[in-house]
Amino acid sequence: MSAAVTKNDLPTPSAVSLIAEMAARAAGAQPVTINTEGLGPGLPPNVPGFWDPAQQRLVSVHDEIERYRQAPKAIRGTAKVETLESVTELVNRHKTANSAIFAATGWPNPKLTAVIDYHAVDHAPDFQKHRVEYGFPLTEEFKAWVGGNGKSMEQQAFAEFLEEHAAELAAPFDSERTEYEPLFKERFALPNELIELSHSLEVFVGAKMKSAVRLQSGERQMVFETEHMNGKGEPIDIPGIFMIQLPPFVDGDVVRIPARIRYRAGQGAVTWFYQLYRWEYWLRTRVQNDLLEAGKGTGLPTFEGAPES
């Protein structure tokens, strides 16, 4: 049985008129094709649309067509990777003849950016919307050394820092001795000497410094007063410079940075600190080398700087 139709189910006269008007307007709209020849590069030969005579305007069909697209017409977005090796592998997967790699090499935000859809060599522009980005994530060890650079530490804290980071201490190369010992007029310390120094400083935690003299070898000799030794104390040889070796970036190659040992004495108390020598220069050099490695691994041109935004 069919359901009975009541008067309330029928459209009102005003609704009927509106529907009729919409139908008439729709029927009046005419498909048009716009020729884009001579309007510049990057356009298709023709652009479709509808001319609405009622409103005297052109209606775009772009959004309606895009609703039915089953795959993106272009890759857009930035892939962020955690290692330099991943940069090479991902760029090689997507690169074109026009791809290029850029690197911001300075601290505090070194970054490598590969632009897959970069402009062509013949000046034909591209969108630059498909990118691979490597932000040079720092290792915890490097953060610790840079974070403590130039900061005063109590004697026990300094001793504990040297022990905790013993794995990053390195023996100097002969070329480094030749360059830095005359420059600083100090003697390089070997890793075992720094560990012995940390142990000696722990012994004299809380003791007053009696005297400090500079020796001909370039190191300093510090004497502490101790009650259990009748005030005589024991001399401690303090080297002036040491070398650290560590990877600044996760899964990256190492850098070698010289550091100077410094202390301040006041009313018998001593505070310690170290100064990393030109560490930003060594970090930038590492980024530059990684940029070259990315270029070799991908066969793409490399540039120091940033692509157009």
Side-chain angles (χ1 to χ4, degrees):
M1 294 179 63
S2 59
V5 178
T6 66
K7 183 178 180 180
N8 292 334
D9 294 325
L10 296 174
T12 64
S14 60
V16 171
S17 299
L18 179 60
I19 293 172
E21 182 183 351
M22 293 175 62
R25 292 176 58 184
Q30 297 294 322
V32 296
T33 301
I34 302 172
N35 190 338
T36 61
E37 184 178 356
L39 298 181
L43 289 172
N46 300 291
V47 176
F50 274 93
W51 174 254
D52 185 344
Q55 298 189 26
Q56 292 291 299
R57 68 183 182 91
L58 186 68
V59 179
S60 172
V61 296
H62 175 271
D63 292 341
E64 189 67 21
I65 292 174
E66 287 299 315
R67 289 175 53 196
Y68 297 93
R69 189 178 295 279
Q70 297 180 352
K73 61 183 178 180
I75 302 176
R76 297 174 180 267
T78 300
K80 297 187 178 182
V81 297
E82 297 294 327
T83 65
L84 186 64
E85 182 180 3
S86 294
V87 173
T88 301
E89 293 178 355
L90 193 55
V91 169
N92 281 336
R93 179 173 180 172
H94 295 287
K95 68 181 180 182
T96 71
N98 301 324
S99 300
I101 303 177
F102 296 81
T105 58
W107 182 264
N109 296 310
K111 183 172 66 175
L112 188 152
T113 303
V115 184
I116 304 301
D117 52 345
Y118 196 62
H119 311 310
V121 178
D122 63 359
H123 307 299
D126 210 329
F127 289 107
Q128 304 182 70
K129 296 297 185 181
H130 184 197
R131 303 187 177 200
V132 177
E133 185 177 290
Y134 172 52
F136 291 95
L138 298 176
T139 61
E140 293 301 320
E141 294 80 8
F142 190 76
K143 289 179 184 178
W145 281 102
V146 172
N149 184 41
K151 294 184 178 179
S152 296
M153 289 181 259
E154 298 295 332
Q155 191 153 293
Q156 182 170 351
F158 183 66
E160 291 174 351
F161 183 88
L162 291 178
E163 283 193 280
E164 183 178 353
H165 294 278
E168 291 99 65
L169 303 177
F173 298 145
D174 290 341
S175 59
E176 292 168 339
R177 287 185 184 276
T178 302
E179 179 177 0
Y180 295 116
E181 287 188 341
L183 176 64
F184 297 126
K185 296 180 175 57
E186 304 275 11
R187 182 181 68 83
F188 257 116
L190 296 175
N192 64 302
E193 291 180 284
L194 287 174
I195 298 303
E196 291 176 5
L197 172 63
S198 68
H199 293 165
S200 298
L201 293 179
E202 286 179 343
V203 170
F204 289 100
V205 168
K208 290 185 177 180
M209 188 185 72
K210 183 177 180 180
S211 63
V213 296
R214 186 181 181 91
L215 305 179
Q216 291 183 349
S217 62
E219 60 193 6
R220 291 173 174 79
Q221 194 170 80
M222 188 175 292
V223 179
F224 290 88
E225 290 182 346
T226 57
E227 295 180 359
H228 67 277
M229 297 188 66
N230 298 322
K232 294 181 180 179
E234 291 183 353
I236 300 177
D237 293 336
I238 311 296
I241 47 179
F242 62 97
M243 182 67 67
I244 64 172
Q245 175 179 289
L246 73 166
F249 309 123
V250 175
D251 291 334
D253 292 335
V254 302
V255 296
R256 293 174 63 84
I257 306 175
R260 306 176 70 181
I261 295 179
R262 289 289 180 263
Y263 64 86
R264 295 190 180 97
Q267 297 181 347
V270 184
T271 57
W272 300 81
F273 62 100
Y274 62 86
Q275 293 175 317
L276 299 178
Y277 178 65
R278 299 181 65 190
W279 67 270
E280 291 182 353
Y281 166 80
W282 300 115
L283 189 72
R284 180 178 180 182
T285 300
R286 181 67 267 156
V287 174
Q288 290 173 323
N289 291 339
D290 287 348
L291 175 62
L292 292 177
E293 287 298 315
K296 291 178 182 178
T298 60
L300 296 179
T302 59
F303 306 92
E304 283 193 51
E308 301 92 331
S309 58

